[in-house]
């Protein structure tokens, strides 16, 4: 791949999805686009790039952009976050939100492990939050990721990454060398393809929004725009969770950090 090819792919990824593709990461781009080339019937990545230059077909552009997204995820990733949700945040919200469900959104859910972990966590929290009702939403830019998420089917390797054995036994069933999450948990989640650079007003308001480990993959100039857009979707008592090692200092004034809680923010105006 030539530097000009990298420039074209980087520009498309940023324009369409805000992705940051570094010029010295050609090997990563190639590893993500090679499977796409095979699926789409191209002989090589060079052939894909040539097609992009010649036709600018929207379907192919989006297929390329989706392939370039980082879809790293796991069940109960950063387990202390889910313990905090179970023991503190969800019980507190259940006292504040009595006449409607608590709405929770995994805004970049990839293949679904995070939002299913949230649904299982809410089950565990019911003793501390009696009577609470929950609505779960998972969204992602990638149709392929959402298709897998909605299936609720995971490999042995995927369930071994972070999923406690007692929850595997409780919520999953072995099916032909795959593990299927229970229909009750799977059907508790609503799914939607969302571009975080788009207008999010149709999503409504949420009590908890998760955007963990996503900002590092976006162009820094767009961080403020994305966070402000999500902050506008928070209820007055709602919280935004980013990665525990992520700082929003200097990014935007739309949210403020919750003291002593790494990665936890609330609306600045709340």
């Amino acid at each position: 791949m030539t530097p000009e090819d990298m420039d074209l792919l980087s520009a498309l990824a940023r324009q369409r999805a805000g992705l940051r593709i570094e010029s010295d990461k050609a090997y990563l781009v190639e590893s993500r686009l090679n499977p796409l080339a095979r699926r789409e019937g191209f002989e090589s990545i060079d052939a894909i790039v040539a097609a992009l230059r010649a036709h600018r077909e929207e379907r192919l552009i989006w297929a390329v952009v989706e392939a370039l997204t980082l879809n790293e995820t796991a069940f109960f990733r950063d387990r202390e976050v889910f313990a905090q949700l179970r023991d503190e945040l969800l019980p507190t919200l259940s006292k504040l939100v009595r006449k409607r469900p608590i709405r929770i959104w995994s805004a970049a859910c990839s293949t679904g492990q995070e939002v299913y972990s949230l649904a299982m966590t809410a089950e565990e929290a019911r003793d501390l939050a009696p009577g609470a009702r929950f609505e779960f939403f998972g969204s992602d830019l990638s149709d392929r990721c959402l298709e897998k998420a909605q299936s609720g089917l995971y490999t042995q390797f995927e369930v071994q990454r972070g999923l406690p054995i007692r929850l595997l036994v409780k919520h999953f069933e072995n099916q032909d060398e795959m593990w299927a999450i229970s229909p009750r948990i799977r059907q508790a989640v609503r799914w939607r393809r969302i571009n975080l650079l788009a207008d999010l007003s149709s999503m409504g308001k949420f009590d908890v929004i998760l955007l963990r480990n996503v900002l590092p993959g976006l162009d820094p100039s767009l961080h403020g725009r994305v966070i402000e857009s999500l902050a506008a979707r928070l209820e007055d008592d709602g919280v935004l969770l980013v990665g525990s090692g992520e700082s929003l200092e200097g990014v935007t004034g739309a949210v403020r950090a919750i003291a002593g809680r790494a990665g936890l923010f609330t609306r600045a105006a709340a």
Side-chain angles (χ1 to χ4, degrees), residues 158-223:
E158 288 167 330
V159 297
Q160 285 177 333
R161 294 188 66 201
L163 184 66
I165 186 64
R166 65 181 180 83
L167 295 183
L168 176 65
V169 172
K170 182 177 181 180
H171 295 295
F172 287 77
E173 179 181 345
N174 190 240
Q175 292 184 0
D176 299 326
E177 299 184 355
M178 299 287 284
W179 289 92
I181 201 162
S182 71
R184 183 170 50 82
I185 296 294
R186 181 169 56 83
Q187 293 166 9
V189 183
R190 301 183 201 176
W191 307 95
R192 188 168 170 183
R193 183 181 183 276
I194 289 289
N195 184 343
L196 294 176
L197 299 185
D199 180 5
L200 304 180
S201 58
S202 64
M203 293 296 294
K205 296 279 190 171
F206 291 87
D207 301 288
V208 181
I209 298 176
L210 291 90
L211 190 77
R212 301 190 305 142
N213 308 302
V214 174
L215 291 179
L218 299 182
D219 189 289
S221 68
L222 298 171
H223 289 185

Side-chain angles (χ1 to χ4, degrees), residues 25-242:
K25 295 294 191 295
Y27 66 97
L28 285 177
V29 170
E30 291 173 355
S31 70
R32 293 174 188 175
L33 292 187
N34 274 322
L36 175 66
R38 291 192 292 271
R39 288 198 307 270
E40 294 288 333
F42 289 97
E43 293 182 357
S44 64
I45 296 174
D46 290 342
I48 289 182
V49 175
L52 290 174
R53 292 188 190 280
H55 306 296
R56 293 290 174 130
E57 179 190 351
E58 282 295 310
R59 187 197 65 79
L60 181 58
I61 289 173
W62 277 111
V64 168
V65 171
E66 288 185 18
L68 292 174
T69 59
L70 178 62
N71 296 311
E72 174 64 21
T73 189
F75 286 103
F76 293 94
R77 187 178 182 183
D78 298 330
R79 191 169 296 185
E80 61 273 13
V81 172
F82 294 92
Q84 185 180 58
L85 281 161
R86 181 193 64 217
D87 299 337
E88 300 177 35
L89 290 178
L90 297 186
T92 297
L93 285 169
S94 73
K95 297 172 184 176
L96 297 171
V97 181
R98 295 186 177 275
K99 295 184 179 180
R100 60 169 178 81
I102 296 170
R103 304 182 82 234
I104 304 175
W105 177 19
S106 173
C109 71
S110 186
T111 47
Q113 287 95 318
E114 179 175 80
V115 70
Y116 284 137
S117 297
L118 292 167
M120 288 184 277
T121 297
E123 287 270 319
E124 300 285 300
R126 289 197 184 277
D127 289 342
L128 298 173
R133 294 176 295 139
F134 299 94
E135 289 181 354
F136 302 97
F137 295 80
S139 70
D140 201 83
L141 180 68
S142 170
D143 283 323
R144 289 179 64 84
C145 284
L146 289 173
E147 182 179 345
K148 177 178 173 63
Q150 290 178 76
S151 77
L153 291 171
Y154 296 96
T155 65
Q156 182 71 35
F157 174 75
E158 288 167 330
V159 297
Q160 285 177 333
R161 294 188 66 201
L163 184 66
I165 186 64
R166 65 181 180 83
L167 295 183
L168 176 65
V169 172
K170 182 177 181 180
H171 295 295
F172 287 77
E173 179 181 345
N174 190 240
Q175 292 184 0
D176 299 326
E177 299 184 355
M178 299 287 284
W179 289 92
I181 201 162
S182 71
R184 183 170 50 82
I185 296 294
R186 181 169 56 83
Q187 293 166 9
V189 183
R190 301 183 201 176
W191 307 95
R192 188 168 170 183
R193 183 181 183 276
I194 289 289
N195 184 343
L196 294 176
L197 299 185
D199 180 5
L200 304 180
S201 58
S202 64
M203 293 296 294
K205 296 279 190 171
F206 291 87
D207 301 288
V208 181
I209 298 176
L210 291 90
L211 190 77
R212 301 190 305 142
N213 308 302
V214 174
L215 291 179
L218 299 182
D219 189 289
S221 68
L222 298 171
H223 289 185
R225 173 180 167 184
V226 170
I227 295 299
E228 287 164 13
S229 186
L230 291 177
R233 298 296 95 222
L234 284 174
E235 296 282 1
D236 287 345
D237 295 309
V239 292
L240 170 69
L241 282 81
V242 299

